[in-house]
Amino acid sequence: MSGANSSSLTPEFFILNGVPGLEDAHVWISLPFCFMYMIAVVGNCGLIYLIGHEEALHRPMFYFLALLSFTDVTWCTTTVPNMLCIFWFNFKKIGFNSCLAQMFFVHMLTGMESGVLMLMALDRYVAICNPLRYTTILTNPVIAKACLATFLRSVMLIFPFTLLTKRLPYCRSILIPHTYCDHMSVAKVSCGNAKVNAIYGLMVALLIGVFDICCISVSYTMILRAVVSLSSADARHKAFSTCTSHICAIVITYVPAFFTFFTHRFGGHTIPHHVHIIVANLYLLLPPTMNPIVYGVKTKQIRESVIKFLLGDKMGFT
């Protein structure tokens, strides 16, 4: 096998094939992805800078938003530059260990994205259902511990992906029909039995995705009960409006994730493979691109901070 060590059946490199069947359109496909990536980098880095420098944004909700932005920009950066090199320069070769590293960071940051959205749902629950104790419950040490626990959960659950994939023999092919090293896409090119990889991947999806969605659902059930019990329609609207940005972020993140997860397992023969690949790339780009826009438009404190930052001197801000 070309590019493989015949004694260990471990390849020196893989070939990422981009979007199979649409090779002639790679340059055109790359343009919206590149544009989205630039928006994601500028938007998320801008949010992180704004939250770090504006005193009015030094609150638990915005600390979680800063972590979400950091996760988003790191998440898409692990794949998009490499993907653009494939589309623009036909640089398809990726080292075996580099592929495993990319695979680890993609899935670890996916778990982080889900975990941070869960923490933000819990933040909204405390803010609406127990507002008088909001600052005493969500202290800086508590926020730091919650973020660290979310990070460690992702690392510990995703790291076995690397070990399970590395143990497989690769005697059949080194061509991966994808734009980045996804866990099952790599495992499927192996000539060994990847059933353990598939089972463990499903377990991780349940332990991270389903658990986080259940926590988010319970939080919003309690929030709805608290909002409905308010006597004033204006108070109900004001209370629930603080959640709209987060709800948009949940939809933007989980809808493409569910589409990718279920069609990959149950729609493989009815949905063209290039559609899977394009949706998988959108899944990594859509949340980082849209989250800064949604929070910038929907969140009053961020809008005011942006205006103050851009036009402070002209508008008389100090």
Side-chain angles (χ1 to χ4, degrees), residues 71-259:
T71 302
D72 279 342
V73 74
T74 310
W75 193 24
C76 60
T77 300
T78 59
T79 59
V80 176
N82 187 64
M83 177 185 69
L84 294 178
C85 286
I86 295 171
F87 289 162
W88 291 346
F89 309 113
N90 207 33
F91 292 165
K92 297 183 176 183
K93 185 186 293 187
I94 183 170
F96 180 72
N97 290 327
S98 298
C99 184
L100 294 183
Q102 185 186 59
M103 180 185 71
F104 168 75
F105 281 109
V106 166
H107 291 290
M108 187 273 287
L109 292 166
T110 300
M112 275 291 295
E113 180 87 0
S114 179
V116 175
L117 288 174
M118 176 193 67
L119 293 179
M120 295 175 82
L122 296 176
D123 166 81
R124 291 299 83 205
Y125 163 74
V126 176
I128 292 174
C129 298
N130 207 344
L132 298 179
R133 297 185 58 202
Y134 180 66
T135 55
T136 58
I137 293 175
L138 291 177
T139 60
N140 287 344
V142 169
I143 293 170
K145 289 175 184 177
C147 294
L148 179 61
T150 302
F151 172 74
L152 292 176
R153 181 191 69 164
S154 295
V155 170
M156 289 187 293
L157 288 176
I158 298 303
F159 184 72
F161 280 169
T162 308
L163 301 179
L164 290 172
T165 306
K166 191 170 186 177
R167 72 177 177 84
L168 293 172
Y170 296 88
C171 53
R172 186 167 56 205
S173 173
I174 58 172
L175 183 66
I176 299 175
H178 213 303
T179 56
Y180 62 88
C181 292
D182 173 73
H183 172 229
M184 287 310 299
S185 295
V186 176
K188 283 181 178 179
V189 303
S190 167
C191 57
N193 188 348
K195 186 177 292 186
V196 175
N197 294 65
I199 293 172
Y200 185 74
L202 184 60
M203 288 175 55
V204 170
L206 293 173
L207 290 172
I208 293 180
V210 174
F211 175 79
D212 291 348
I213 290 171
C214 287
C215 290
I216 291 170
S217 300
V218 170
S219 296
Y220 273 101
T221 299
M222 301 298 290
I223 288 170
L224 281 172
R225 289 179 59 185
V227 170
V228 169
S229 66
L230 295 174
S231 57
S232 167
D234 183 61
R236 288 196 295 269
H237 178 266
K238 184 177 180 181
F240 199 72
S241 65
T242 64
C243 301
T244 54
S245 299
H246 183 246
I247 292 171
C248 290
I250 291 170
V251 173
I252 291 167
T253 300
Y254 283 113
V255 169
F258 281 132
F259 179 87

Side-chain angles (χ1 to χ4, degrees), residues 292-312:
I293 297 173
V294 168
Y295 275 93
V297 171
K298 294 284 187 181
T299 308
K300 180 182 177 183
Q301 296 95 323
I302 292 178
R303 290 200 308 271
E304 291 177 347
S305 296
V306 170
I307 294 172
K308 179 181 177 181
F309 177 75
L310 295 177
L311 304 172

